[in-house]
Amino acid sequence: MKLDSKLPSGPLHEKWDRHKADLKLVNPANKRKHTIIVVGTGLAGASAGATLAELGYNVKSFCIQDSPRRAHSIAAQGGINAAKNYQNDGDSVWRLFYDTIKGGDYRSREANVYRLAQLSVNIIDQAVAQGVPFAREYGGLLANRSFGGAQVSRTFYARGQTGQQLLLGAYSSLLRQVDLGRVTLFPRREMLDLVVINGKARGIIVRNLVTGEIERHVADAVVLATGGYGNVYFLSTNAKNSNATAAWRCYKRGAAFANPCFTQIHPTCIPRAGHYQSKLTLMSESLRNDGRVWVPKKKGDKRHPNEIPEEERDYYLERRYPAFGNLVPRDVASRAAKAVCDEGRGVGEFGQAVYLDFADAIKRLGVDVIRDRYGNLFDMYERITGENPYEVPMRIYPAVHYTMGGLWVDYNLMSTIPGLFVLGEANFSDHGANRLGASALMQGLADGYFIIPYTIGDYIAGTELEAVSTDADAFKEAEDNVRKHIDKLLSIKGKKSVLEFHRQLGEIMWDYVGMSRNAEGLKHAIEEIRKLREEFWQNVYIPGDSRHLNKDLEFAGRVADFLELGELMAIDALHRNESCGGHFREEFQTPDGEALRDDKNFAYVAAWEYKGDGKEPELHKEPLEFEYVKPTTRSYK
Amino acid sequence: MKKMTLHLRIWRQKDANSPGKLVSYTLNDVTPEMSFLEMLDVLNEHLIAKGEEPVEFDNDCREGICGMCSLVINGIPHGPEHATATCQLHMRHFKDGDTITIEPFRAKPFPVVKDLVVDRSAFDRILAAGGYISVNAGSAPDANTIPIPKEIADEAMDAAACIGCGACVAACPNASASLFVSAKISQLALLPQGQPERKRRALRMIEQMDKEGFGDCSNHAECEAVCPKEISIVHIARMRREYMRAMFC
């Protein structure tokens, strides 16, 4: 395997334009002769499907939910960044580029991130034209707000439902193409294998989740937009159906997996309340503007928080980071919360929470101001916990939120398998080792609306695409492969449920491949994951059959893949002997406990190649070169 | 931790072609902190341990925004809590010893797929009949070219908040989809970008709604009462005006 990032030459700000000028085009009359499969209907998949159909391609759009509108992009709350500089506050494409590169702790490509910043402005235009009701000022122009990691106001938003509104915009464009006959929807289908013919991605195998039928679909190119793999941790802010199966099966067909250990843990989520807990809910980071984070100074202090006097409280963020206090970035806040809980000073029933206290802010500003600023969040907190945060401090704890790693792609968003393109959270491309808030929506839509329509044409125009039908041997082999996998899962008839295995895997991942990692723990995790995987294939119990809707069977396949991906994440984390962004290795920290990056030895993308079951994956390195931004150390003291 | 015992009566149906029935289960280890869907997770783990088939129910984000969860709980779509989707309903709103009846959303255009799972693809087909603004990627003017008064943008956002869950249909004695359809017609009719296709959109979406077999609206307002996003029936009134306008103006 050879990694060719295909980065264009020339000055940074001209790279994309020059590259576009060099890309080959497909004649409009010929586009309709080509079929493109798009898997996933989140921001990246829906926007790609709609745009490719607008150009004239035949698009087959697949999703696992009952409707394309359910994709997990819908849950994004805060907003979307764009370098519009509508606020006249000094924003520019350069500044958005710089913030994103720095926010990613210098582990992403300059050319990709610059293109993302350039395209950000077009996304807002497109969304507004679709009727997305962004927040506006009284003068009728678009409103902005500030977000973490930036000193300008560049975030566009639609209340706390920005992801929902952007997704419904992309989904409406997709449905318009359904109406025009250029897109066919395949809901409740799960992609279970990629079909590669003569070295090129030419189709997919899916399972119809309602009837259990295994279907073959042929195309000239496959676009994967299936999201991230946060659910490997079992508990995360991801939706229950979010999974890595499609991406993982592509990895096993030859697509390199890049930086799997880069995961983002968000500091402010509602903590776990019991063993039965199924997912975690995010509380907006904006709460840290007025809330003060603390734990009791004494270990195991079980008193009611309002009975713990001021001098017996440890406002640990304010103590450790006097300059930034409660507003340190996500990775720093998350690690600090874990540290105090590990010391035995965590609160709540399981000792796995810290307080976020608004008492001082209410005293200073009055309850009405706080209600105005955070009322809907306080209501949501009360709905879930049954506690009133106006009177009792909130309990919060970090939770897995986003995965920066993903399938490796070149500048054209093509994986190491020709004809397989990967978009949005499913690829690794733009966020380095840490993603800034309000940038995920931006990347998904830039990939789908404005990058793939250009680059896929270049691939189709420049590639000899033999006539292929679903009768080809490769389709039969892939279908047999899928059937065998399903039959094997159903035949085990063991004693432990899929959920129990997933929960156990999640505990291993969270304890050893979570917020802070060390070599010993990672080696232990690899052993434990292997043991658990072995047990899974001997002792999992899946009720029902494969001919009906069977969620346990669906989840069994996903958990089987998580049991392999989890190991790769640990292997990647073990090999990366440095701390950067969301990847904190305890051995590599400054004397005062901050992340210690090693640019000399680790300024590269780690792309892993599958070498067969039970064999060590092979590491390929794509060096990262910084021509325009000089990597520096982040400090928040 | 306090444990509750609940008596559940749950609709079980093997597939669309098989008859269904209510089956009783008793659950002894429910805690008040559980969400309603987590309570069903616990039931399913018990059923799996006994070698029985678990209850199938649709769900995804469990944050009240994707619109995938459904369920009629004691006769009310999304259950007893106001403005709360089933996935955000918690067991503290029930009492030890309660009997809870759980059924799928019932309407002819929402056929049962299995147990509590229904097929809501009719909604996609209605939106595909014009529930969009025709704009290709790349052809949009600068976003600030058209100022939109804040009040209008806010009202459009109120309508756009619909999550497409279908509770409005399940609550309606006529199985009307008027609240869902009107929310989209209203959002796009309010905005300047929606004007060029305004009449065509209203006519086509309403025609498709009828074709799917949804009933007429007769002002019961049950839809508004159960809507987890508090979409107002004001939008239905606007949809009617849009329809009349498209027919006669």
mmCIF file of all heavy atoms in Angstrom, chain A residues 54 67 86 125 128 140 159 171 176 179 188 240-241 278-279 383-384 497 549 551, chain B residues 38 45 56-58 60-63 92 114 124 128 132 136-137 142-143 148 193 204:
data_model
loop_
_atom_site.group_PDB
_atom_site.id
_atom_site.type_symbol
_atom_site.label_atom_id
_atom_site.label_comp_id
_atom_site.label_asym_id
_atom_site.label_seq_id
_atom_site.Cartn_x
_atom_site.Cartn_y
_atom_site.Cartn_z
ATOM 1 N N GLU A 54 -28.117 16.195 -8.812
ATOM 2 C CA GLU A 54 -28.301 17.479 -9.514
ATOM 3 C C GLU A 54 -27.409 17.548 -10.746
ATOM 4 O O GLU A 54 -27.779 18.111 -11.782
ATOM 5 C CB GLU A 54 -27.960 18.653 -8.577
ATOM 6 C CG GLU A 54 -29.038 18.921 -7.530
ATOM 7 C CD GLU A 54 -28.537 19.783 -6.374
ATOM 8 O OE1 GLU A 54 -27.446 20.383 -6.485
ATOM 9 O OE2 GLU A 54 -29.235 19.841 -5.346
ATOM 10 N N SER A 67 -36.012 6.418 7.703
ATOM 11 C CA SER A 67 -36.050 7.574 6.807
ATOM 12 C C SER A 67 -34.674 8.236 6.813
ATOM 13 O O SER A 67 -33.995 8.246 7.845
ATOM 14 C CB SER A 67 -37.105 8.569 7.299
ATOM 15 O OG SER A 67 -36.873 9.843 6.721
ATOM 16 N N TYR A 86 -19.339 38.402 8.720
ATOM 17 C CA TYR A 86 -20.504 39.305 8.758
ATOM 18 C C TYR A 86 -20.432 40.240 9.970
ATOM 19 O O TYR A 86 -21.063 41.290 9.991
ATOM 20 C CB TYR A 86 -21.803 38.510 8.843
ATOM 21 C CG TYR A 86 -22.274 37.894 7.534
ATOM 22 C CD1 TYR A 86 -23.181 36.831 7.547
ATOM 23 C CD2 TYR A 86 -21.862 38.384 6.294
ATOM 24 C CE1 TYR A 86 -23.647 36.268 6.365
ATOM 25 C CE2 TYR A 86 -22.316 37.822 5.115
ATOM 26 C CZ TYR A 86 -23.211 36.762 5.151
ATOM 27 O OH TYR A 86 -23.674 36.205 3.986
ATOM 28 N N ASP A 125 -24.589 29.983 2.341
ATOM 29 C CA ASP A 125 -25.418 30.446 1.207
ATOM 30 C C ASP A 125 -26.380 29.347 0.769
ATOM 31 O O ASP A 125 -27.577 29.575 0.571
ATOM 32 C CB ASP A 125 -24.528 30.825 0.007
ATOM 33 C CG ASP A 125 -23.584 31.976 0.331
ATOM 34 O OD1 ASP A 125 -23.838 32.684 1.331
ATOM 35 O OD2 ASP A 125 -22.600 32.155 -0.409
ATOM 36 N N VAL A 128 -29.189 28.660 3.418
ATOM 37 C CA VAL A 128 -30.205 29.722 3.453
ATOM 38 C C VAL A 128 -31.114 29.611 2.224
ATOM 39 O O VAL A 128 -32.341 29.720 2.329
ATOM 40 C CB VAL A 128 -29.539 31.114 3.537
ATOM 41 C CG1 VAL A 128 -30.547 32.218 3.236
ATOM 42 C CG2 VAL A 128 -28.948 31.327 4.931
ATOM 43 N N GLY A 140 -32.986 41.659 10.037
ATOM 44 C CA GLY A 140 -33.262 40.629 9.045
ATOM 45 C C GLY A 140 -32.032 39.890 8.558
ATOM 46 O O GLY A 140 -32.129 38.955 7.766
ATOM 47 N N ARG A 159 -31.495 28.060 16.715
ATOM 48 C CA ARG A 159 -31.729 27.709 18.128
ATOM 49 C C ARG A 159 -30.709 26.663 18.564
ATOM 50 O O ARG A 159 -29.552 26.760 18.216
ATOM 51 C CB ARG A 159 -33.171 27.231 18.335
ATOM 52 C CG ARG A 159 -34.143 28.359 18.035
ATOM 53 C CD ARG A 159 -35.549 28.132 18.522
ATOM 54 N NE ARG A 159 -36.369 29.220 17.992
ATOM 55 C CZ ARG A 159 -37.613 29.099 17.542
ATOM 56 N NH1 ARG A 159 -38.228 27.927 17.594
ATOM 57 N NH2 ARG A 159 -38.265 30.133 17.073
ATOM 58 N N TYR A 171 -31.690 16.953 3.331
ATOM 59 C CA TYR A 171 -32.683 15.897 3.072
ATOM 60 C C TYR A 171 -33.748 16.386 2.076
ATOM 61 O O TYR A 171 -34.164 15.641 1.187
ATOM 62 C CB TYR A 171 -33.273 15.502 4.422
ATOM 63 C CG TYR A 171 -34.624 14.842 4.475
ATOM 64 C CD1 TYR A 171 -34.766 13.477 4.215
ATOM 65 C CD2 TYR A 171 -35.757 15.558 4.876
ATOM 66 C CE1 TYR A 171 -36.016 12.861 4.324
ATOM 67 C CE2 TYR A 171 -36.991 14.952 4.999
ATOM 68 C CZ TYR A 171 -37.120 13.608 4.717
ATOM 69 O OH TYR A 171 -38.346 13.010 4.839
ATOM 70 N N ARG A 176 -35.968 16.140 -3.325
ATOM 71 C CA ARG A 176 -36.264 16.799 -4.613
ATOM 72 C C ARG A 176 -35.741 15.929 -5.750
ATOM 73 O O ARG A 176 -36.392 15.772 -6.796
ATOM 74 C CB ARG A 176 -35.605 18.182 -4.643
ATOM 75 C CG ARG A 176 -35.718 18.879 -5.971
ATOM 76 C CD ARG A 176 -35.134 20.281 -5.902
ATOM 77 N NE ARG A 176 -34.875 20.792 -7.225
ATOM 78 C CZ ARG A 176 -33.681 21.201 -7.671
ATOM 79 N NH1 ARG A 176 -32.631 21.167 -6.861
ATOM 80 N NH2 ARG A 176 -33.533 21.639 -8.887
ATOM 81 N N ASP A 179 -37.960 13.039 -6.248
ATOM 82 C CA ASP A 179 -39.112 13.533 -7.002
ATOM 83 C C ASP A 179 -38.789 13.593 -8.507
ATOM 84 O O ASP A 179 -39.616 13.263 -9.350
ATOM 85 C CB ASP A 179 -39.442 14.948 -6.482
ATOM 86 C CG ASP A 179 -40.862 15.390 -6.803
ATOM 87 O OD1 ASP A 179 -41.663 14.528 -7.206
ATOM 88 O OD2 ASP A 179 -41.159 16.581 -6.643
ATOM 89 N N ARG A 188 -33.772 1.468 5.748
ATOM 90 C CA ARG A 188 -33.688 0.198 6.488
ATOM 91 C C ARG A 188 -32.845 -0.833 5.750
ATOM 92 O O ARG A 188 -33.229 -1.997 5.601
ATOM 93 C CB ARG A 188 -35.085 -0.356 6.791
ATOM 94 C CG ARG A 188 -35.894 0.493 7.781
ATOM 95 C CD ARG A 188 -36.977 -0.336 8.451
ATOM 96 N NE ARG A 188 -38.033 0.445 9.047
ATOM 97 C CZ ARG A 188 -38.091 0.784 10.345
ATOM 98 N NH1 ARG A 188 -37.130 0.439 11.163
ATOM 99 N NH2 ARG A 188 -39.111 1.473 10.815
ATOM 100 N N LYS A 240 -28.135 5.373 19.059
ATOM 101 C CA LYS A 240 -27.979 3.935 19.300
ATOM 102 C C LYS A 240 -27.563 3.173 18.046
ATOM 103 O O LYS A 240 -26.868 2.175 18.124
ATOM 104 C CB LYS A 240 -29.279 3.335 19.850
ATOM 105 C CG LYS A 240 -29.677 3.807 21.227
ATOM 106 C CD LYS A 240 -28.586 3.618 22.260
ATOM 107 C CE LYS A 240 -28.353 2.150 22.608
ATOM 108 N NZ LYS A 240 -27.190 2.017 23.527
ATOM 109 N N ASN A 241 -28.044 3.612 16.886
ATOM 110 C CA ASN A 241 -27.743 2.864 15.665
ATOM 111 C C ASN A 241 -26.423 3.258 15.007
ATOM 112 O O ASN A 241 -26.000 2.623 14.045
ATOM 113 C CB ASN A 241 -28.876 3.033 14.650
ATOM 114 C CG ASN A 241 -30.107 2.243 15.053
ATOM 115 O OD1 ASN A 241 -30.059 1.019 15.191
ATOM 116 N ND2 ASN A 241 -31.198 2.933 15.308
ATOM 117 N N SER A 278 -28.293 3.570 28.728
ATOM 118 C CA SER A 278 -28.123 3.181 27.331
ATOM 119 C C SER A 278 -27.357 4.206 26.518
ATOM 120 O O SER A 278 -26.791 3.881 25.494
ATOM 121 C CB SER A 278 -29.486 2.961 26.690
ATOM 122 O OG SER A 278 -30.238 4.156 26.711
ATOM 123 N N LYS A 279 -27.379 5.458 26.954
ATOM 124 C CA LYS A 279 -26.624 6.473 26.219
ATOM 125 C C LYS A 279 -26.433 7.691 27.099
ATOM 126 O O LYS A 279 -27.031 7.787 28.165
ATOM 127 C CB LYS A 279 -27.311 6.839 24.904
ATOM 128 C CG LYS A 279 -28.454 7.794 25.044
ATOM 129 C CD LYS A 279 -28.633 8.583 23.758
ATOM 130 C CE LYS A 279 -27.692 9.745 23.699
ATOM 131 N NZ LYS A 279 -27.539 10.317 22.372
ATOM 132 N N ARG A 383 -35.561 17.275 33.116
ATOM 133 C CA ARG A 383 -36.364 16.208 32.528
ATOM 134 C C ARG A 383 -35.650 14.858 32.686
ATOM 135 O O ARG A 383 -36.252 13.842 32.948
ATOM 136 C CB ARG A 383 -36.587 16.516 31.039
ATOM 137 C CG ARG A 383 -37.716 15.718 30.422
ATOM 138 C CD ARG A 383 -37.946 16.138 28.974
ATOM 139 N NE ARG A 383 -38.412 17.512 28.851
ATOM 140 C CZ ARG A 383 -38.065 18.342 27.871
ATOM 141 N NH1 ARG A 383 -37.261 17.940 26.911
ATOM 142 N NH2 ARG A 383 -38.543 19.558 27.824
ATOM 143 N N ILE A 384 -34.339 14.877 32.544
ATOM 144 C CA ILE A 384 -33.584 13.625 32.585
ATOM 145 C C ILE A 384 -33.240 13.200 34.010
ATOM 146 O O ILE A 384 -33.353 12.033 34.361
ATOM 147 C CB ILE A 384 -32.321 13.742 31.698
ATOM 148 C CG1 ILE A 384 -32.764 13.814 30.229
ATOM 149 C CG2 ILE A 384 -31.371 12.569 31.913
ATOM 150 C CD1 ILE A 384 -31.665 14.141 29.252
ATOM 151 N N SER A 497 -25.934 -11.962 26.270
ATOM 152 C CA SER A 497 -26.577 -11.116 25.266
ATOM 153 C C SER A 497 -25.552 -10.203 24.573
ATOM 154 O O SER A 497 -24.475 -9.927 25.105
ATOM 155 C CB SER A 497 -27.666 -10.267 25.917
ATOM 156 O OG SER A 497 -27.085 -9.278 26.729
ATOM 157 N N LEU A 549 -37.290 -8.539 10.968
ATOM 158 C CA LEU A 549 -36.626 -7.451 11.685
ATOM 159 C C LEU A 549 -36.039 -8.042 12.966
ATOM 160 O O LEU A 549 -36.751 -8.671 13.745
ATOM 161 C CB LEU A 549 -37.660 -6.366 12.019
ATOM 162 C CG LEU A 549 -37.130 -5.121 12.720
ATOM 163 C CD1 LEU A 549 -36.234 -4.329 11.780
ATOM 164 C CD2 LEU A 549 -38.285 -4.241 13.187
ATOM 165 N N LYS A 551 -33.276 -6.665 15.697
ATOM 166 C CA LYS A 551 -32.290 -5.666 16.118
ATOM 167 C C LYS A 551 -31.096 -6.317 16.801
ATOM 168 O O LYS A 551 -29.976 -5.833 16.683
ATOM 169 C CB LYS A 551 -32.937 -4.647 17.060
ATOM 170 C CG LYS A 551 -33.978 -3.790 16.358
ATOM 171 C CD LYS A 551 -33.651 -2.302 16.456
ATOM 172 C CE LYS A 551 -34.557 -1.494 15.555
ATOM 173 N NZ LYS A 551 -35.935 -1.368 16.064
ATOM 174 N N GLU B 38 -35.147 2.634 28.234
ATOM 175 C CA GLU B 38 -34.225 1.794 29.018
ATOM 176 C C GLU B 38 -35.008 0.734 29.795
ATOM 177 O O GLU B 38 -34.535 -0.400 29.961
ATOM 178 C CB GLU B 38 -33.385 2.658 29.961
ATOM 179 C CG GLU B 38 -32.258 3.380 29.209
ATOM 180 C CD GLU B 38 -31.617 4.537 29.963
ATOM 181 O OE1 GLU B 38 -32.109 4.892 31.065
ATOM 182 O OE2 GLU B 38 -30.641 5.097 29.442
ATOM 183 N N GLU B 45 -33.736 -7.665 27.922
ATOM 184 C CA GLU B 45 -32.654 -8.503 28.457
ATOM 185 C C GLU B 45 -33.238 -9.696 29.221
ATOM 186 O O GLU B 45 -32.732 -10.812 29.124
ATOM 187 C CB GLU B 45 -31.734 -7.677 29.363
ATOM 188 C CG GLU B 45 -30.817 -6.718 28.605
ATOM 189 C CD GLU B 45 -29.838 -7.423 27.669
ATOM 190 O OE1 GLU B 45 -28.868 -8.031 28.167
ATOM 191 O OE2 GLU B 45 -30.051 -7.389 26.444
ATOM 192 N N GLU B 56 -39.538 -5.529 19.674
ATOM 193 C CA GLU B 56 -38.890 -4.589 18.752
ATOM 194 C C GLU B 56 -39.565 -3.215 18.851
ATOM 195 O O GLU B 56 -40.797 -3.120 18.823
ATOM 196 C CB GLU B 56 -38.994 -5.086 17.301
ATOM 197 C CG GLU B 56 -38.266 -6.387 17.036
ATOM 198 C CD GLU B 56 -36.745 -6.261 16.974
ATOM 199 O OE1 GLU B 56 -36.213 -5.139 17.168
ATOM 200 O OE2 GLU B 56 -36.100 -7.311 16.734
ATOM 201 N N PHE B 57 -38.752 -2.195 18.987
ATOM 202 C CA PHE B 57 -39.276 -0.820 18.973
ATOM 203 C C PHE B 57 -38.236 0.075 18.317
ATOM 204 O O PHE B 57 -37.039 -0.131 18.476
ATOM 205 C CB PHE B 57 -39.606 -0.326 20.391
ATOM 206 C CG PHE B 57 -38.464 -0.378 21.356
ATOM 207 C CD1 PHE B 57 -37.659 0.735 21.561
ATOM 208 C CD2 PHE B 57 -38.175 -1.539 22.071
ATOM 209 C CE1 PHE B 57 -36.595 0.687 22.453
ATOM 210 C CE2 PHE B 57 -37.107 -1.592 22.969
ATOM 211 C CZ PHE B 57 -36.314 -0.477 23.166
ATOM 212 N N ASP B 58 -38.696 1.056 17.553
ATOM 213 C CA ASP B 58 -37.780 1.957 16.858
ATOM 214 C C ASP B 58 -37.227 2.998 17.825
ATOM 215 O O ASP B 58 -37.967 3.540 18.658
ATOM 216 C CB ASP B 58 -38.521 2.706 15.736
ATOM 217 C CG ASP B 58 -38.295 2.059 14.379
ATOM 218 O OD1 ASP B 58 -37.253 1.406 14.202
ATOM 219 O OD2 ASP B 58 -39.172 2.211 13.500
ATOM 220 N N ASP B 60 -33.459 5.818 18.143
ATOM 221 C CA ASP B 60 -32.099 6.065 17.683
ATOM 222 C C ASP B 60 -31.364 7.072 18.570
ATOM 223 O O ASP B 60 -30.542 6.688 19.376
ATOM 224 C CB ASP B 60 -32.087 6.497 16.211
ATOM 225 C CG ASP B 60 -30.737 6.248 15.542
ATOM 226 O OD1 ASP B 60 -29.915 5.526 16.130
ATOM 227 O OD2 ASP B 60 -30.505 6.770 14.439
ATOM 228 N N CYS B 61 -31.694 8.360 18.458
ATOM 229 C CA CYS B 61 -30.858 9.348 19.155
ATOM 230 C C CYS B 61 -31.062 9.331 20.667
ATOM 231 O O CYS B 61 -30.169 9.661 21.419
ATOM 232 C CB CYS B 61 -31.114 10.761 18.614
ATOM 233 S SG CYS B 61 -32.629 11.528 19.208
ATOM 234 N N ARG B 62 -32.249 8.965 21.115
ATOM 235 C CA ARG B 62 -32.618 8.992 22.540
ATOM 236 C C ARG B 62 -32.367 10.371 23.156
ATOM 237 O O ARG B 62 -32.014 10.489 24.332
ATOM 238 C CB ARG B 62 -31.917 7.879 23.322
ATOM 239 C CG ARG B 62 -32.307 6.486 22.829
ATOM 240 C CD ARG B 62 -32.068 5.378 23.836
ATOM 241 N NE ARG B 62 -32.525 4.094 23.295
ATOM 242 C CZ ARG B 62 -32.658 2.981 23.995
ATOM 243 N NH1 ARG B 62 -32.379 2.990 25.283
ATOM 244 N NH2 ARG B 62 -33.078 1.862 23.439
ATOM 245 N N GLU B 63 -32.503 11.406 22.324
ATOM 246 C CA GLU B 63 -32.381 12.788 22.814
ATOM 247 C C GLU B 63 -33.586 13.614 22.377
ATOM 248 O O GLU B 63 -33.568 14.828 22.452
ATOM 249 C CB GLU B 63 -31.118 13.457 22.240
ATOM 250 C CG GLU B 63 -29.835 12.923 22.797
ATOM 251 C CD GLU B 63 -28.610 13.673 22.272
ATOM 252 O OE1 GLU B 63 -28.761 14.789 21.755
ATOM 253 O OE2 GLU B 63 -27.515 13.113 22.389
ATOM 254 N N ARG B 92 -39.770 7.895 36.538
ATOM 255 C CA ARG B 92 -40.221 8.557 37.765
ATOM 256 C C ARG B 92 -41.641 9.095 37.625
ATOM 257 O O ARG B 92 -42.266 9.459 38.606
ATOM 258 C CB ARG B 92 -39.248 9.671 38.159
ATOM 259 C CG ARG B 92 -39.259 10.901 37.311
ATOM 260 C CD ARG B 92 -38.265 11.923 37.841
ATOM 261 N NE ARG B 92 -36.902 11.502 37.566
ATOM 262 C CZ ARG B 92 -36.230 11.817 36.437
ATOM 263 N NH1 ARG B 92 -36.783 12.569 35.512
ATOM 264 N NH2 ARG B 92 -35.003 11.392 36.250
ATOM 265 N N LYS B 114 -43.249 -4.772 12.760
ATOM 266 C CA LYS B 114 -43.110 -5.831 13.757
ATOM 267 C C LYS B 114 -43.323 -5.213 15.133
ATOM 268 O O LYS B 114 -42.794 -4.123 15.400
ATOM 269 C CB LYS B 114 -41.719 -6.470 13.669
ATOM 270 C CG LYS B 114 -41.523 -7.662 14.609
ATOM 271 C CD LYS B 114 -40.161 -8.295 14.427
ATOM 272 C CE LYS B 114 -39.995 -9.461 15.397
ATOM 273 N NZ LYS B 114 -38.663 -10.063 15.292
ATOM 274 N N ASP B 124 -41.975 10.511 3.979
ATOM 275 C CA ASP B 124 -40.931 10.851 2.995
ATOM 276 C C ASP B 124 -41.566 11.139 1.636
ATOM 277 O O ASP B 124 -41.152 12.052 0.926
ATOM 278 C CB ASP B 124 -39.935 9.693 2.827
ATOM 279 C CG ASP B 124 -38.991 9.562 4.017
ATOM 280 O OD1 ASP B 124 -38.779 10.568 4.717
ATOM 281 O OD2 ASP B 124 -38.468 8.451 4.239
ATOM 282 N N ALA B 128 -41.367 14.487 -0.556
ATOM 283 C CA ALA B 128 -40.768 14.418 -1.896
ATOM 284 C C ALA B 128 -41.693 15.031 -2.951
ATOM 285 O O ALA B 128 -41.254 15.310 -4.065
ATOM 286 C CB ALA B 128 -40.440 12.974 -2.258
ATOM 287 N N TYR B 132 -39.790 21.099 -0.629
ATOM 288 C CA TYR B 132 -38.403 21.570 -0.758
ATOM 289 C C TYR B 132 -38.386 22.856 -1.563
ATOM 290 O O TYR B 132 -39.391 23.257 -2.137
ATOM 291 C CB TYR B 132 -37.551 20.509 -1.468
ATOM 292 C CG TYR B 132 -38.151 20.025 -2.777
ATOM 293 C CD1 TYR B 132 -38.098 20.815 -3.932
ATOM 294 C CD2 TYR B 132 -38.793 18.785 -2.854
ATOM 295 C CE1 TYR B 132 -38.651 20.390 -5.122
ATOM 296 C CE2 TYR B 132 -39.361 18.346 -4.051
ATOM 297 C CZ TYR B 132 -39.281 19.153 -5.181
ATOM 298 O OH TYR B 132 -39.843 18.744 -6.357
ATOM 299 N N ASN B 136 -29.983 24.192 -6.694
ATOM 300 C CA ASN B 136 -28.837 23.301 -6.846
ATOM 301 C C ASN B 136 -27.647 23.841 -6.068
ATOM 302 O O ASN B 136 -27.483 25.064 -5.956
ATOM 303 C CB ASN B 136 -28.441 23.191 -8.322
ATOM 304 C CG ASN B 136 -29.407 22.331 -9.105
ATOM 305 O OD1 ASN B 136 -30.369 21.787 -8.551
ATOM 306 N ND2 ASN B 136 -29.159 22.201 -10.393
ATOM 307 N N ALA B 137 -26.826 22.927 -5.567
ATOM 308 C CA ALA B 137 -25.604 23.354 -4.888
ATOM 309 C C ALA B 137 -24.776 24.192 -5.853
ATOM 310 O O ALA B 137 -24.624 23.832 -7.020
ATOM 311 C CB ALA B 137 -24.807 22.152 -4.418
ATOM 312 N N ASP B 142 -25.402 35.116 -2.078
ATOM 313 C CA ASP B 142 -24.885 35.335 -0.730
ATOM 314 C C ASP B 142 -26.033 35.319 0.289
ATOM 315 O O ASP B 142 -27.108 35.876 0.046
ATOM 316 C CB ASP B 142 -24.143 36.664 -0.628
ATOM 317 C CG ASP B 142 -23.547 36.851 0.757
ATOM 318 O OD1 ASP B 142 -22.418 36.387 0.968
ATOM 319 O OD2 ASP B 142 -24.226 37.419 1.646
ATOM 320 N N ALA B 143 -25.772 34.673 1.426
ATOM 321 C CA ALA B 143 -26.832 34.410 2.410
ATOM 322 C C ALA B 143 -27.494 35.678 2.927
ATOM 323 O O ALA B 143 -28.652 35.666 3.316
ATOM 324 C CB ALA B 143 -26.251 33.606 3.566
ATOM 325 N N ILE B 148 -34.512 38.711 6.175
ATOM 326 C CA ILE B 148 -35.791 38.123 6.592
ATOM 327 C C ILE B 148 -36.077 38.630 8.000
ATOM 328 O O ILE B 148 -35.248 38.432 8.897
ATOM 329 C CB ILE B 148 -35.723 36.585 6.584
ATOM 330 C CG1 ILE B 148 -35.379 36.083 5.169
ATOM 331 C CG2 ILE B 148 -37.045 35.986 7.063
ATOM 332 C CD1 ILE B 148 -35.093 34.606 5.082
ATOM 333 N N GLN B 193 -37.599 32.660 0.202
ATOM 334 C CA GLN B 193 -37.032 31.659 -0.703
ATOM 335 C C GLN B 193 -38.096 30.677 -1.189
ATOM 336 O O GLN B 193 -37.943 30.036 -2.230
ATOM 337 C CB GLN B 193 -35.938 30.826 -0.001
ATOM 338 C CG GLN B 193 -34.797 31.605 0.589
ATOM 339 C CD GLN B 193 -35.048 31.904 2.066
ATOM 340 O OE1 GLN B 193 -36.054 32.530 2.408
ATOM 341 N NE2 GLN B 193 -34.142 31.497 2.930
ATOM 342 N N ARG B 204 -49.465 19.985 -4.430
ATOM 343 C CA ARG B 204 -48.883 18.645 -4.597
ATOM 344 C C ARG B 204 -48.754 17.898 -3.271
ATOM 345 O O ARG B 204 -49.026 16.706 -3.182
ATOM 346 C CB ARG B 204 -47.494 18.753 -5.264
ATOM 347 C CG ARG B 204 -47.551 19.122 -6.733
ATOM 348 C CD ARG B 204 -46.185 18.962 -7.367
ATOM 349 N NE ARG B 204 -45.762 17.565 -7.344
ATOM 350 C CZ ARG B 204 -44.500 17.168 -7.243
ATOM 351 N NH1 ARG B 204 -43.536 18.050 -7.138
ATOM 352 N NH2 ARG B 204 -44.190 15.898 -7.239
#
